[in-house]
Amino acid sequence: MDKLDTLASKVAELIIKAKRVVVFTGAGISTESGIPDFRSPGGIWERFDPEDFTYQKFVTDAASRSRLWQLFRGLATTAEPNPAHYAIFELYRLGKLDSLITQNVDNLHQRAGVPDDKVLELHGNVQWLVCLGCRRRYPFEQVKARLDRGEEAPDCEICHGILKPDAVFFGESLPEKVLNEAISRSSRCDLFIVIGSTLVVYPAAYVPTYALDSGAKLVIINLSATPLDGQAQVLVRAKAGEVMPRVILKVREKMG
Ligand code: ZN
């Protein structure tokens, strides 16, 4: 067995022994699907102005809205789930997923098959748009058709209010109900697995500490260091898409 297999085997043992497994994912799991991390070199911040992602700018500046529409259009149409997303779906199928908390807005966990009611989206989901006037929600596909016809910043068909991707912008707070549910699930789990998050974006990054405080074991699978590395039972510095399928293989072997 190589080093990665040994680590995968350790993670698999923890999964089998655990009664309630919570998985927490961040941008790192989706970079392998071609979605750039906002902060890495070549990431979105180098091509877009972070100012455009503030709620204030979005609602007051039409040019800024047009730029964002181009970005969201790209995010929502080109990416496919990768082996790490499918591995988490396998965990669910094996009855080993209590809940999946994600910082991502790309809908790739659901596209890989994880049911909506298992996914807690701390930062929303760009597959939906919400009218800031009447709160009506539109599927992105419907609005994308209007973008494709040349509209620069589609508005609400009913009240002509501003349509905003249903993702959390800077200057907006996290959806309280989702955050509370994430904290509650984390406080009750006995194994917490971080995949592809550097745990630096707050308040989302506080969530794993609720699991630690209530005595859960922690696994971290991430390419770079995180502030909680020292508290992890197993720490894997590798790509999620390489590690997670091996973990599932080991879980299946050990479960017989
Ligand atoms: Zn409206």
Side-chain angles (χ1 to χ4, degrees):
M1 281 208 297
D2 66 11
K3 187 164 173 272
L4 207 53
D5 269 328
T6 309
L7 290 170
S9 191
K10 284 183 184 168
V11 177
E13 266 164 40
L14 291 175
I15 288 171
I16 286 166
K17 284 184 193 148
K19 289 195 173 64
R20 280 184 298 279
V21 181
V22 169
V23 173
F24 180 97
T25 64
I29 192 172
S30 291
T31 48
E32 291 169 59
S33 290
I35 294 180
D37 187 345
F38 280 47
R39 285 166 183 76
S40 302
I44 287 171
W45 284 166
E46 289 185 2
R47 295 184 289 129
F48 291 88
D49 183 355
E51 271 280 297
D52 284 343
F53 286 83
T54 62
Y55 182 78
Q56 269 311 313
K57 187 96 184 239
F58 185 82
V59 296
T60 55
D61 181 347
S64 156
R65 279 202 292 283
S66 303
R67 283 195 294 278
L68 275 194
W69 278 114
Q70 294 313 312
L71 169 65
F72 280 110
R73 193 179 171 189
L75 282 186
T77 52
T78 56
E80 297 290 334
N82 66 60
H85 293 106
Y86 289 114
I88 295 170
F89 169 62
E90 285 303 313
L91 263 190
Y92 159 74
R93 284 219 303 191
L94 291 164
K96 281 304 209 175
L97 183 68
D98 175 89
S99 45
L100 170 57
I101 302 168
T102 187
Q103 297 172 283
N104 299 337
V105 297
D106 53 34
N107 203 46
L108 291 180
H109 288 302
Q110 290 93 327
R111 297 254 312 275
V114 180
D116 258 329
D117 63 4
K118 285 278 176 191
V119 188
L120 296 165
E121 296 172 314
L122 295 176
H123 296 152
N125 186 326
V126 296
Q127 291 305 306
W128 288 93
L129 301 157
V130 61
C131 169
L132 297 179
C134 67
R135 307 308 294 180
R136 186 188 163 96
R137 275 158 60 90
Y138 294 86
F140 184 82
E141 277 307 305
Q142 192 181 326
V143 177
K144 183 181 172 290
R146 292 168 62 190
L147 287 168
D148 290 345
R149 287 198 298 268
E151 283 186 49
E152 282 207 340
D155 59 5
C156 175
E157 287 169 3
I158 309 297
C159 77
H160 297 290
I162 292 172
L163 292 186
K164 178 187 161 294
D166 203 7
V168 175
F169 281 34
F170 292 116
E172 280 190 293
S173 47
L174 268 61
E176 199 182 338
K177 206 177 144 203
V178 178
L179 182 60
N180 287 341
E181 179 69 9
I183 289 170
S184 157
R185 293 278 172 178
S186 302
S187 304
R188 279 181 283 149
C189 76
D190 54 356
L191 177 62
F192 193 96
I193 306 176
V194 174
I195 304 174
S197 175
T198 45
L199 301 177
V200 292
V201 179
Y202 289 93
Y206 282 122
V207 173
T209 63
Y210 287 91
L212 282 172
D213 288 349
S214 51
K217 292 190 164 67
L218 176 69
V219 168
I220 297 177
I221 299 167
N222 196 47
L223 275 175
S224 57
T226 86
L228 294 182
D229 283 0
Q231 297 183 68
Q233 257 74 31
V234 185
L235 180 63
V236 191
R237 288 274 175 84
K239 286 184 177 176
E242 284 171 19
V243 185
M244 284 307 295
R246 296 197 200 201
V247 169
I248 296 301
L249 210 64
K250 300 286 179 190
V251 169
R252 284 192 188 286
E253 274 175 28
K254 289 172 202 284
M255 281 174 99

